[in-house]
Short mmCIF file of all heavy atoms in Angstrom, two decimals:
data_model
loop_
_atom_site.label_atom_id
_atom_site.label_comp_id
_atom_site.label_asym_id
_atom_site.label_seq_id
_atom_site.Cartn_x
_atom_site.Cartn_y
_atom_site.Cartn_z
N MET A 122 75.03 102.40 136.91
CA MET A 122 76.46 102.75 136.80
C MET A 122 76.66 103.75 135.69
O MET A 122 76.09 103.67 134.61
CB MET A 122 77.25 101.48 136.51
CG MET A 122 78.74 101.74 136.45
SD MET A 122 79.57 100.12 136.36
CE MET A 122 81.23 100.66 136.78
N LYS A 123 77.42 104.72 135.96
CA LYS A 123 77.71 105.83 135.03
C LYS A 123 78.66 105.37 133.94
O LYS A 123 79.67 104.71 134.15
CB LYS A 123 78.34 106.99 135.77
CG LYS A 123 78.37 108.29 135.04
CD LYS A 123 79.07 109.36 135.79
CE LYS A 123 78.20 109.89 136.88
NZ LYS A 123 78.72 111.12 137.47
N LYS A 124 78.31 105.69 132.64
CA LYS A 124 79.17 105.38 131.51
C LYS A 124 80.27 106.43 131.41
O LYS A 124 80.03 107.61 131.40
CB LYS A 124 78.36 105.31 130.20
CG LYS A 124 79.27 105.14 129.01
CD LYS A 124 78.56 104.47 127.89
CE LYS A 124 79.42 104.42 126.62
NZ LYS A 124 80.42 103.37 126.63
N THR A 125 81.47 105.96 131.31
CA THR A 125 82.67 106.81 131.11
C THR A 125 83.46 106.38 129.92
O THR A 125 83.47 105.21 129.55
CB THR A 125 83.54 106.89 132.37
OG1 THR A 125 84.08 105.57 132.59
CG2 THR A 125 82.79 107.34 133.61
N VAL A 126 84.20 107.33 129.39
CA VAL A 126 85.11 107.05 128.31
C VAL A 126 86.43 107.77 128.61
O VAL A 126 86.47 108.71 129.42
CB VAL A 126 84.58 107.49 126.91
CG1 VAL A 126 83.42 106.62 126.48
CG2 VAL A 126 84.18 108.96 126.89
N ILE A 127 87.48 107.35 127.89
CA ILE A 127 88.78 108.01 128.03
C ILE A 127 89.06 108.81 126.71
O ILE A 127 88.77 108.34 125.64
CB ILE A 127 89.96 106.94 128.20
CG1 ILE A 127 89.62 106.05 129.37
CG2 ILE A 127 91.27 107.66 128.34
CD1 ILE A 127 89.50 106.75 130.71
N ALA A 128 89.57 110.03 126.88
CA ALA A 128 89.77 110.92 125.77
C ALA A 128 91.10 111.64 125.83
O ALA A 128 91.63 111.86 126.93
CB ALA A 128 88.66 111.96 125.67
N GLU A 129 91.65 111.98 124.69
CA GLU A 129 92.81 112.84 124.57
C GLU A 129 92.24 114.26 124.45
O GLU A 129 91.32 114.44 123.67
CB GLU A 129 93.62 112.55 123.33
CG GLU A 129 94.38 111.30 123.34
CD GLU A 129 95.15 111.05 122.06
OE1 GLU A 129 94.67 111.53 120.96
OE2 GLU A 129 96.18 110.40 122.10
N PHE A 155 79.80 117.48 120.58
CA PHE A 155 80.45 116.57 119.66
C PHE A 155 80.39 117.09 118.25
O PHE A 155 79.37 117.64 117.84
CB PHE A 155 79.83 115.22 119.78
CG PHE A 155 80.27 114.43 121.02
CD1 PHE A 155 79.62 114.62 122.23
CD2 PHE A 155 81.40 113.66 120.97
CE1 PHE A 155 80.05 113.95 123.32
CE2 PHE A 155 81.83 113.02 122.07
CZ PHE A 155 81.18 113.16 123.29
N ILE A 181 95.15 113.26 129.04
CA ILE A 181 94.28 112.07 128.95
C ILE A 181 93.27 112.21 130.11
O ILE A 181 93.72 112.31 131.23
CB ILE A 181 95.09 110.76 129.04
CG1 ILE A 181 96.21 110.69 127.97
CG2 ILE A 181 94.14 109.55 128.95
CD1 ILE A 181 95.73 110.70 126.55
N VAL A 182 92.02 112.20 129.74
CA VAL A 182 90.99 112.49 130.78
C VAL A 182 89.94 111.39 130.70
O VAL A 182 89.78 110.67 129.78
CB VAL A 182 90.32 113.84 130.53
CG1 VAL A 182 91.36 114.97 130.62
CG2 VAL A 182 89.53 113.90 129.28
N GLU A 183 89.16 111.29 131.82
CA GLU A 183 88.00 110.46 131.93
C GLU A 183 86.79 111.36 131.81
O GLU A 183 86.70 112.37 132.44
CB GLU A 183 88.01 109.70 133.26
CG GLU A 183 86.92 108.69 133.42
CD GLU A 183 87.06 107.99 134.72
OE1 GLU A 183 88.10 107.29 134.94
OE2 GLU A 183 86.10 108.06 135.50
N ILE A 184 85.84 110.97 130.92
CA ILE A 184 84.64 111.82 130.69
C ILE A 184 83.39 111.02 130.89
O ILE A 184 83.27 109.91 130.48
CB ILE A 184 84.62 112.33 129.24
CG1 ILE A 184 85.87 113.21 128.95
CG2 ILE A 184 83.36 113.14 128.95
CD1 ILE A 184 85.93 113.70 127.55
N SER A 185 82.41 111.71 131.49
CA SER A 185 81.05 111.16 131.59
C SER A 185 80.12 112.36 131.46
O SER A 185 80.57 113.50 131.40
CB SER A 185 80.84 110.47 132.93
OG SER A 185 79.51 109.86 132.93
N TYR A 186 78.85 112.09 131.37
CA TYR A 186 77.84 113.19 131.42
C TYR A 186 77.40 113.32 132.85
O TYR A 186 77.39 112.39 133.64
CB TYR A 186 76.63 112.85 130.55
CG TYR A 186 76.78 113.01 129.07
CD1 TYR A 186 76.76 111.92 128.23
CD2 TYR A 186 76.96 114.30 128.51
CE1 TYR A 186 76.92 112.06 126.84
CE2 TYR A 186 77.13 114.45 127.16
CZ TYR A 186 77.06 113.37 126.31
OH TYR A 186 77.19 113.52 124.96
N PRO A 192 72.89 112.05 125.86
CA PRO A 192 73.02 111.14 124.74
C PRO A 192 74.36 110.39 124.74
O PRO A 192 75.32 110.73 124.04
CB PRO A 192 72.95 112.13 123.52
CG PRO A 192 73.46 113.39 124.06
CD PRO A 192 73.00 113.47 125.50
N PHE A 193 74.35 109.35 125.55
CA PHE A 193 75.61 108.53 125.67
C PHE A 193 76.00 107.85 124.35
O PHE A 193 77.13 107.44 124.20
CB PHE A 193 75.41 107.45 126.77
CG PHE A 193 75.45 108.11 128.10
CD1 PHE A 193 74.27 108.47 128.76
CD2 PHE A 193 76.66 108.23 128.77
CE1 PHE A 193 74.33 109.05 130.01
CE2 PHE A 193 76.71 108.79 130.10
CZ PHE A 193 75.52 109.22 130.67
N GLU A 194 75.08 107.81 123.40
CA GLU A 194 75.49 107.25 122.05
C GLU A 194 76.54 108.07 121.37
O GLU A 194 77.21 107.64 120.46
CB GLU A 194 74.25 107.10 121.19
CG GLU A 194 73.48 108.37 120.87
CD GLU A 194 72.37 108.66 121.89
OE1 GLU A 194 72.39 108.20 123.06
OE2 GLU A 194 71.47 109.47 121.55
N ASN A 195 76.78 109.33 121.83
CA ASN A 195 77.92 110.12 121.34
C ASN A 195 79.25 109.64 121.79
O ASN A 195 80.29 110.07 121.22
CB ASN A 195 77.74 111.61 121.68
CG ASN A 195 76.58 112.23 120.95
OD1 ASN A 195 76.23 111.85 119.84
ND2 ASN A 195 75.94 113.22 121.62
N PHE A 196 79.30 108.78 122.84
CA PHE A 196 80.57 108.27 123.39
C PHE A 196 81.04 107.15 122.56
O PHE A 196 81.17 105.99 123.03
CB PHE A 196 80.38 107.86 124.80
CG PHE A 196 80.31 108.99 125.85
CD1 PHE A 196 80.14 108.74 127.15
CD2 PHE A 196 80.49 110.33 125.47
CE1 PHE A 196 80.07 109.73 128.11
CE2 PHE A 196 80.44 111.31 126.38
CZ PHE A 196 80.24 111.00 127.71
N LYS A 197 81.39 107.42 121.27
CA LYS A 197 81.95 106.39 120.37
C LYS A 197 83.44 106.63 120.12
O LYS A 197 83.89 107.76 120.04
CB LYS A 197 81.24 106.46 119.01
CG LYS A 197 79.78 106.13 119.05
CD LYS A 197 79.20 106.03 117.66
CE LYS A 197 79.30 107.30 116.85
NZ LYS A 197 78.61 107.28 115.60
N LEU A 198 84.14 105.53 120.02
CA LEU A 198 85.56 105.59 119.76
C LEU A 198 85.86 106.41 118.54
O LEU A 198 85.23 106.31 117.48
CB LEU A 198 86.09 104.16 119.55
CG LEU A 198 87.60 103.99 119.49
CD1 LEU A 198 88.25 104.34 120.83
CD2 LEU A 198 87.93 102.53 119.18
N GLY A 199 86.77 107.39 118.66
CA GLY A 199 87.19 108.26 117.61
C GLY A 199 86.33 109.53 117.45
O GLY A 199 86.68 110.43 116.69
N ASN A 200 85.20 109.64 118.20
CA ASN A 200 84.32 110.78 118.04
C ASN A 200 85.04 112.05 118.66
O ASN A 200 85.56 112.02 119.74
CB ASN A 200 83.03 110.54 118.78
CG ASN A 200 81.85 111.23 118.11
OD1 ASN A 200 82.01 111.93 117.13
ND2 ASN A 200 80.61 110.99 118.66
N PHE A 202 85.22 116.12 119.85
CA PHE A 202 84.37 117.06 120.63
C PHE A 202 85.10 118.32 120.97
O PHE A 202 86.33 118.40 120.82
CB PHE A 202 83.90 116.34 121.95
CG PHE A 202 84.95 115.92 122.87
CD1 PHE A 202 85.47 116.77 123.79
CD2 PHE A 202 85.46 114.61 122.77
CE1 PHE A 202 86.53 116.37 124.60
CE2 PHE A 202 86.51 114.18 123.60
CZ PHE A 202 87.04 115.02 124.53
N LYS A 215 89.26 113.94 121.56
CA LYS A 215 88.79 112.78 120.76
C LYS A 215 88.76 111.63 121.76
O LYS A 215 89.70 111.39 122.55
CB LYS A 215 89.74 112.51 119.67
CG LYS A 215 89.38 111.28 118.80
CD LYS A 215 90.21 111.16 117.56
CE LYS A 215 91.62 110.80 117.96
NZ LYS A 215 92.47 110.41 116.81
N ILE A 216 87.71 110.86 121.61
CA ILE A 216 87.57 109.66 122.48
C ILE A 216 88.50 108.57 121.97
O ILE A 216 88.54 108.24 120.77
CB ILE A 216 86.10 109.14 122.50
CG1 ILE A 216 85.23 110.20 123.17
CG2 ILE A 216 86.00 107.81 123.20
CD1 ILE A 216 83.77 109.91 123.10
N ILE A 217 89.33 108.05 122.89
CA ILE A 217 90.29 107.02 122.52
C ILE A 217 90.12 105.67 123.10
O ILE A 217 90.68 104.70 122.71
CB ILE A 217 91.75 107.53 122.86
CG1 ILE A 217 91.90 107.79 124.33
CG2 ILE A 217 92.14 108.74 122.02
CD1 ILE A 217 93.36 108.00 124.78
N MET A 218 89.19 105.59 124.11
CA MET A 218 88.92 104.29 124.77
C MET A 218 87.53 104.31 125.42
O MET A 218 87.16 105.27 126.08
CB MET A 218 90.00 104.02 125.83
CG MET A 218 89.92 102.60 126.43
SD MET A 218 91.12 102.33 127.77
CE MET A 218 92.59 103.06 127.19
N ASP A 219 86.85 103.19 125.23
CA ASP A 219 85.56 103.00 125.82
C ASP A 219 85.77 102.24 127.11
O ASP A 219 86.32 101.12 127.06
CB ASP A 219 84.63 102.28 124.89
CG ASP A 219 83.19 102.24 125.35
OD1 ASP A 219 82.90 102.73 126.40
OD2 ASP A 219 82.40 101.70 124.54
N ASN A 220 85.41 102.78 128.26
CA ASN A 220 85.58 102.08 129.53
C ASN A 220 84.55 100.94 129.68
O ASN A 220 83.45 101.04 129.48
CB ASN A 220 85.48 103.07 130.69
CG ASN A 220 86.77 103.38 131.30
OD1 ASN A 220 87.81 102.85 130.92
ND2 ASN A 220 86.75 104.29 132.23
#
Side-chain angles (χ1 to χ4, degrees):
M122 183 173 197
K123 193 183 282 193
K124 174 155 175 76
T125 61
V126 292
I127 305 298
E129 290 178 329
F155 282 89
I181 302 296
V182 303
E183 185 176 300
I184 300 178
S185 186
Y186 282 115
F193 286 92
E194 58 270 23
N195 290 329
F196 282 179
K197 294 189 299 186
L198 191 63
N200 213 358
F202 59 86
K215 179 173 69 170
I216 295 174
I217 60 169
M218 187 184 317
D219 190 356
N220 254 357

